[in-house]
Amino acid sequence: MEIKDPRNHFSKENGALSGEKTSKTIRKLKDMKGFYEDEEAFNKMDPETVLYEVEMHAPVKAGTEGGLFFGTSFLNPGKVGEEFFMTKGHFHEIINRAEYYWGLEGEGVLVFMDEDGNASAEKVCPGSLHFVPGKIAHRLVNTGDTKLAVGACWPADAGHQYGPIAESGFGVRIKEKNGTIIAE
Ligand code: PA5
Ligand code: NI
């Protein structure tokens, strides 16, 4: 029997993915209207500003029970007003599906929220490991001045439910005030 070469690779430095069945999603400022508190600052910025990119390896079809997806999110550094660049954030469509995140490069915060709106947050750094339980919304925030790279693995049937976060947010925002990173 032939022992085959690997079909996919990830960079040991920042998790960048290569190989078959990989794809990339780009999210720009214009995709996140209404997500940031300071609308005036938002409207002054270039809507084409790239906020983050997600590379994903999907060996099975979305929705496959028992399948797994693997991805790396790259968040650029920056702020809208006092609020750091962040992902949209979501609950999973099948809400009880859990997920792993791990820090690869840069400094950030992972914000969690349960279905009753109770929020909490954890620091993300190279080597940090984060278990996102089912029924918990999650959002990544880049609090550093360099790119934040974070790996993730989640069930292929989890899906993304963006509506509740787009409407009501996380109840907490990660900002810089007087040189300090705060959650308020
Ligand atoms: O599956 C995940 O939770 C991640 O891969 C996110 O989808 C990624 O970080 C982008 O965030 P969002 O989907 O909230 O825009
Ligand atoms: Ni998720």
Side-chain angles (χ1 to χ4, degrees), residues 24-141:
K24 181 152 73 172
T25 306
I26 298 178
R27 290 249 208 262
K28 298 184 176 180
L29 193 73
K30 66 182 183 188
D31 301 319
M32 292 194 66
K33 201 166 167 47
F35 280 76
Y36 288 92
E37 190 173 49
D38 190 339
E39 278 185 38
E40 204 182 316
F42 182 94
N43 290 330
K44 280 185 191 155
M45 292 172 67
D46 180 356
E48 295 297 327
T49 305
V50 172
L51 299 188
Y52 59 101
E53 298 180 20
V54 184
E55 292 182 355
M56 181 176 157
H57 176 231
V60 295
K61 274 193 192 149
T64 304
E65 195 183 331
L68 289 172
F69 286 160
F70 185 97
T72 309
S73 298
F74 299 94
L75 271 81
N76 287 322
K79 277 182 279 189
V80 178
E82 297 176 325
E83 199 173 356
F84 290 105
F85 283 0
M86 60 190 180
T87 59
K88 286 186 166 185
H90 56 268
F91 286 99
H92 289 149
E93 195 74 48
I94 300 184
I95 199 153
N96 70 2
R97 297 301 194 249
E99 181 163 1
Y100 270 112
Y101 272 41
W102 54 95
L104 293 160
E105 201 175 50
E107 302 291 327
V109 168
L110 178 57
V111 185
F112 302 102
M113 186 180 70
D114 69 18
E115 288 178 284
D116 297 323
N118 302 303
S120 60
E122 279 177 9
K123 284 184 187 172
V124 180
C125 62
S128 65
L129 181 65
H130 312 269
F131 178 64
V132 184
K135 303 186 183 178
I136 298 290
H138 38 289
R139 161 181 284 166
L140 273 171
V141 184

Side-chain angles (χ1 to χ4, degrees), residues 137-151:
H138 38 289
R139 161 181 284 166
L140 273 171
V141 184
N142 186 347
T143 54
D145 4 287
T146 57
K147 197 168 274 226
L148 174 69
V150 176

